[in-house]
């Protein structure tokens, strides 16, 4: 068994019958052995193993099946926006947590010209095409070395509902303390590729999702990694604070090859309003500085930054440990 897959290792003569547990990313290898006497053969023998059938008696507990479904596939994980509302967007993640599916949404937007963001997560029901996610608004903390998680004040802000219409398109409706409405969002950064490389030594689409500092909850990054031919794209969205108010920084850059570290410019924006009052013409962009995302192992990373609010380093852990174990070779020399 590889990657958590299990079966009996006892030798079997004849037909092999049994039920085997194969988690996402796992596999089973079978070997056929023959013991022969040299003086009884004149030519090398031939041994043939065949599979008559392979059937899973209980498909409803298959995470691999769930994640490959057109509704629940990882193609829903990434950056989404309404092309008539340039300047705001949604970071969406559908991922696994043990035998559960989790839907995560982060919405970067504005309140009366200032930056704001809403964040939430909820269990996702297999086969559902719609999920309603309770979201919170936060305030009270400061930026960088001044950030103290005890200063964060969470406020229940309402709900954001995701309806998966078709590949590359999501309807987003919201009922919040700041207003209600609907947005038709399209995927910004293309579809996810399929990788079998180690997620410890190379940044892959499996690293897409929310990342946070274990000892400093209340802020964090949401990243999106996508493949488009030979070129990949990294999108980083940092949700943080400045002088007690919410702030966010966004950056994206193409990269190629097997890399563990990517540098990218970060921008910020102000000027727009929330919900139905939003107009892309009100958005004022500002170059903020630069950030560097460095993968340190499968589930851990560092994000260094240098910009208008200051410089520093964030030590991050993937918020939902959903990377297949077969891709998490974290051994060191």
């Amino acid at each position: 068994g590889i990657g958590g897959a299990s079966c009996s290792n006892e030798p079997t003569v004849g037909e092999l019958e049994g039920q085997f547990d194969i988690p996402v990313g796992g596999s089973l290898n079978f070997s056929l052995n023959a013991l022969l006497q040299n003086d009884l053969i004149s030519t090398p023998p031939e041994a043939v193993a065949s599979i008559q059938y392979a059937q899973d008696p209980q498909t409803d507990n298959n995470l691999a099946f769930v994640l490959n479904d057109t509704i629940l596939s990882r193609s829903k994980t990434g950056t989404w926006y309404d092309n008539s509302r340039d300047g705001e967007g949604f970071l969406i993640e559908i991922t696994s947590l043990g035998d559960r599916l989790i839907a995560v949404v982060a919405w970067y937007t504005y309140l009366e010209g200032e930056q704001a963001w809403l964040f939430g997560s909820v269990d996702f029901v297999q086969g559902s095409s719609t999920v309603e996610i309770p979201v919170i608004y936060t305030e009270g903390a400061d930026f960088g070395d001044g950030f103290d998680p005890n200063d964060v004040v969470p406020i229940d802000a309402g709900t954001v509902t995701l309806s998966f219409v078709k590949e590359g398109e999501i309807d987003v409706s919201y009922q919040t303390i700041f207003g209600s409405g609907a947005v038709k969002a399209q995927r910004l950064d293309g579809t996810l590729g399929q990788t079998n490389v180690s997620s410890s030594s190379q940044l892959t689409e499996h690293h897409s999702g929310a990342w946070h500092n274990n000892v400093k909850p209340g802020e964090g990054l949401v990243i999106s990694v996508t493949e488009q031919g030979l070129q990949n794209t990294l999108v980083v969205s940092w949700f943080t604070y400045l002088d007690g108010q919410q702030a966010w920084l966004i950056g994206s850059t193409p990269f190629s090859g097997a890399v563990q570290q990517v540098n990218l410019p970060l921008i910020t924006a102000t000027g727009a309003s929330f919900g139905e009052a939003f107009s892309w013409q009100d958005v004022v962009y500002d170059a903020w500085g630069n950030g560097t995302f460095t993968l340190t192992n499968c589930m851990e990373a560092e994000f260094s930054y240098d910009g208008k609010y200051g410089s520093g380093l964030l030590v991050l852990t993937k918020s939902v440990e959903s990377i297949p174990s077969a891709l998490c070779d974290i051994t060191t020399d």
Side-chain angles (χ1 to χ4, degrees), residues 135-159:
V135 292
I136 61 170
Y137 172 80
T138 55
E139 58 185 21
D142 207 350
F143 181 81
D145 292 339
F147 176 83
D148 184 341
N150 295 317
D151 295 336
V152 178
V153 179
I155 301 169
D156 291 335
T159 61

Side-chain angles (χ1 to χ4, degrees), residues 207-225:
H207 296 107
S208 297
W211 294 71
H212 71 283
N213 186 311
N214 286 328
V215 297
K216 290 187 175 182
E219 71 165 359
L221 272 64
V222 179
I223 79 165
S224 175
V225 182

Side-chain angles (χ1 to χ4, degrees), residues 198-204 207 211-212 214 223 259-262 292-304 313-318 323 327-333:
S198 169
S199 291
S200 300
S201 59
Q202 179 177 339
L203 191 61
T204 74
H207 296 107
W211 294 71
H212 71 283
N214 286 328
I223 79 165
V259 300
Q260 289 180 273
Q261 184 178 89
V262 177
T292 301
F293 187 88
T294 305
L295 195 67
T296 54
N297 68 44
C298 198
M299 301 288 185
E300 297 177 345
E302 294 179 348
F303 185 72
S304 60
L313 176 70
L314 299 176
V315 178
L316 303 169
T317 300
K318 198 169 191 301
I323 299 177
L327 300 180
C328 279
D329 177 12
I330 58 175
T331 58
T332 58
D333 295 335

Side-chain angles (χ1 to χ4, degrees), residues 10-316:
E10 294 298 321
T12 300
V13 177
E15 293 184 1
L16 178 64
E17 296 181 356
Q19 184 170 318
F20 314 107
D21 293 324
I22 309 176
V24 175
S27 62
L28 292 174
N29 290 341
F30 297 93
S31 61
L32 179 66
N33 301 305
L35 180 64
L36 304 167
Q37 291 181 239
N38 287 335
D39 58 352
L40 295 182
I41 60 172
S42 58
T43 59
E46 292 184 1
V48 178
S50 62
I51 298 177
Q52 299 299 326
Y53 64 90
Q55 181 176 342
D56 186 344
Q58 188 179 356
T59 60
D60 61 356
N61 66 356
N62 284 3
L63 205 55
F65 170 81
V66 171
L67 292 177
N68 285 330
D69 185 270
T70 56
I71 295 299
L72 308 181
S73 70
R74 286 187 56 82
S75 64
K76 301 297 179 286
T77 295
T79 308
W80 299 77
Y81 83 120
D82 182 336
N83 57 16
S84 68
R85 299 170 66 94
D86 191 22
E88 72 165 4
F90 303 88
L91 293 306
I92 296 171
E93 180 180 18
I94 304 265
T95 189
S96 59
L97 179 62
D99 58 356
R100 297 162 54 197
L101 285 173
I102 305 293
V104 181
V105 64
W107 179 6
Y108 63 94
T109 182
Y110 308 83
L111 286 175
E112 298 179 350
E114 300 300 325
Q115 293 182 324
W117 47 270
L118 303 177
F119 184 86
S121 64
V122 74
D123 281 80
F124 194 101
V125 178
Q126 176 183 344
S128 175
S129 60
T130 301
V131 58
E132 182 179 285
I133 306 175
V135 292
I136 61 170
Y137 172 80
T138 55
E139 58 185 21
D142 207 350
F143 181 81
D145 292 339
F147 176 83
D148 184 341
N150 295 317
D151 295 336
V152 178
V153 179
I155 301 169
D156 291 335
T159 61
V160 171
T161 301
L162 308 177
S163 298
F164 305 126
V165 179
K166 60 183 180 180
E167 187 70 23
E169 186 175 308
I170 294 178
D171 285 343
V172 181
S173 60
Y174 53 93
Q175 300 280 338
T176 76
I177 59 177
F178 307 117
S180 303
V183 174
K184 187 175 292 293
Q186 298 175 338
R187 189 178 181 89
L188 174 65
D189 43 13
T191 58
L192 288 169
Q194 297 295 324
T195 183
N196 293 315
V197 301
S198 169
S199 291
S200 300
S201 59
Q202 179 177 339
L203 191 61
T204 74
E205 68 268 18
H206 292 285
H207 296 107
S208 297
W211 294 71
H212 71 283
N213 186 311
N214 286 328
V215 297
K216 290 187 175 182
E219 71 165 359
L221 272 64
V222 179
I223 79 165
S224 175
V225 182
T226 58
E227 282 186 3
Q228 293 179 307
L230 299 177
Q231 182 170 279
N232 303 315
T233 300
L234 171 67
V235 180
V236 171
S237 304
W238 182 6
F239 297 96
T240 183
Y241 306 85
L242 184 65
D243 298 328
Q245 301 301 313
Q246 288 185 329
W248 47 258
L249 302 166
I250 305 287
S252 67
T253 188
F255 69 95
S256 59
V259 300
Q260 289 180 273
Q261 184 178 89
V262 177
N263 304 309
L264 71 168
L266 297 171
I267 65 169
T268 187
T270 56
S273 300
F274 183 82
E276 297 295 311
F278 176 89
S279 172
W280 66 269
Q281 295 174 322
D282 295 333
V283 178
V284 178
Y285 297 98
D286 188 18
W288 183 85
N290 295 279
T292 301
F293 187 88
T294 305
L295 195 67
T296 54
N297 68 44
C298 198
M299 301 288 185
E300 297 177 345
E302 294 179 348
F303 185 72
S304 60
Y305 57 90
D306 184 18
K308 293 184 177 180
Y309 305 158
S311 59
L313 176 70
L314 299 176
V315 178
L316 303 169

